[in-house]
Amino acid sequence: MEYQGHSKDQMHQPIHSARSTWLVLPLFAAASAVIAVILLLGSGLGSRVHLWNFRTGFALIKASGYIGLGCALLALVSGFISIRKRHAKGIFLSLLALLLSLAAFVVPLYWQTQAKIYPRIHDISTDLQHPPTFVAISTARGAGVRYEGAAVAAQQQKAYPDLKTVVLPYPKEEAYKLALLAAREMGWDIVAELPAEGKIEATDTTRWFGFKDDIVVRVQAAGNRSLLDVRSVSRVGISDVGTNARRIRGYLSKLVPGGAKP
């Protein structure tokens, strides 16, 4: 009887060993996918809290995409093997790895695609001939905020033809108050309020990387009406991937509901 019991244990050992071996590939795929997602999430967070430069953050996003693609292929292989072996744990881990790796790959791919769609500019204004100028923020930035001129204006006109000077049916003083209220509603950090000059200067922080972008709003009298212009400029980078244009549209939509594209 003892001999028979010992034989049954010996018979079960290879089965358990084989099942454990089947889990190696799905586990590796899942662990790698988790790492890819961590790199993606940490890319912006680390830059935002100044653990590393934003360029390092961009490199982490790129690495996340490559690792995600490799993990997705690995997850497909491990999933196919697990299905053939009818190994439930392996199937679950492979599916989890596939979902995480696709997220780690698709997000960087989407951002890269968007970067190619938008022009390589980061200074957007509703007035291309005489864009609003910065005073307080120029002093804070040291180097000032210089407009690049016709080359930038031509690219903006092609990409964002809807961004133009807005005519408000209010005198300057009232229009300025509305403009200031809208700026506060946007959640911007107001740097300067200059009602006599009809100017508002502010700074906005992007959600992911925590980039600082500067905004100036200009209100000019035009009889019983007012002309309002907005300029939004990124402090770093070449392309803003449409961020400044979206910010201006969002701001104008608060002043003229339905009058600016979302």
Side-chain angles (χ1 to χ4, degrees):
M1 295 295 291
E2 291 179 0
Y3 176 79
Q4 290 179 349
H6 182 68
S7 298
K8 288 180 180 179
D9 290 340
Q10 287 182 327
M11 290 174 63
H12 283 296
Q13 283 178 0
I15 296 176
H16 291 306
S17 178
R19 288 180 177 177
S20 298
T21 302
W22 297 342
L23 280 176
V24 171
L25 192 58
L27 281 171
F28 179 75
S32 300
V34 169
I35 291 174
V37 172
I38 290 174
L39 289 177
L40 178 62
L41 296 177
S43 60
L45 179 61
S47 178
R48 192 180 183 94
V49 299
H50 308 294
L51 287 178
W52 47 67
N53 186 275
F54 72 92
R55 292 185 178 85
T56 300
F58 288 163
L60 291 177
I61 291 176
K62 187 175 182 179
S64 171
Y66 282 122
I67 295 174
L69 177 59
C71 288
L73 298 175
L74 189 61
L76 289 174
V77 173
S78 67
F80 177 75
I81 295 173
S82 297
I83 290 172
R84 290 196 62 184
K85 297 293 185 180
R86 297 182 180 180
H87 196 275
K89 290 182 179 179
I91 295 172
F92 172 77
L93 287 172
S94 298
L95 179 60
L96 178 63
L98 181 61
L99 294 175
L100 291 175
S101 59
L102 285 177
F105 171 69
V106 170
V107 172
L109 179 63
Y110 172 76
W111 285 341
Q112 184 179 25
T113 302
Q114 291 296 299
K116 293 180 179 179
I117 293 174
Y118 291 99
R120 293 172 64 80
I121 55 177
H122 61 268
D123 190 343
I124 308 299
S125 173
T126 56
D127 186 346
L128 299 176
Q129 298 300 319
H130 304 285
T133 57
F134 292 89
V135 178
I137 287 178
S138 285
T139 302
R141 288 175 59 156
V145 188
R146 185 170 63 90
Y147 189 67
E148 296 298 330
V152 171
Q155 293 186 69
Q156 179 188 318
Q157 182 63 33
K158 183 178 179 180
Y160 318 116
D162 59 301
L163 297 182
K164 300 177 181 179
T165 300
V166 173
V167 179
L168 296 176
Y170 314 108
K172 179 181 175 181
E173 292 75 13
E174 186 176 351
Y176 182 86
K177 291 178 182 178
L178 293 174
L180 182 59
L181 178 62
R184 289 171 176 164
E185 289 179 351
M186 290 291 290
W188 299 342
D189 295 323
I190 307 299
V191 176
E193 298 178 26
L194 305 169
E197 299 177 22
K199 280 190 177 182
I200 303 165
E201 295 187 43
T203 297
D204 192 21
T205 304
T206 62
R207 293 180 181 178
W208 190 255
F209 272 84
F211 291 135
K212 297 290 185 180
D213 297 342
D214 297 316
I215 310 106
V216 56
V217 178
R218 181 181 65 199
V219 181
Q220 296 176 299
N224 292 326
R225 301 182 299 174
S226 300
L227 303 179
L228 182 139
D229 286 293
V230 189
R231 181 182 174 191
S232 183
V233 189
S234 301
R235 292 189 183 183
V236 297
I238 298 175
S239 172
D240 63 5
V241 199
T243 299
N244 289 298
R246 285 192 295 272
R247 180 180 293 115
I248 291 175
R249 286 174 180 150
Y251 176 72
L252 294 181
S253 68
K254 290 184 176 298
L255 290 169
V256 189
K261 294 182 180 180

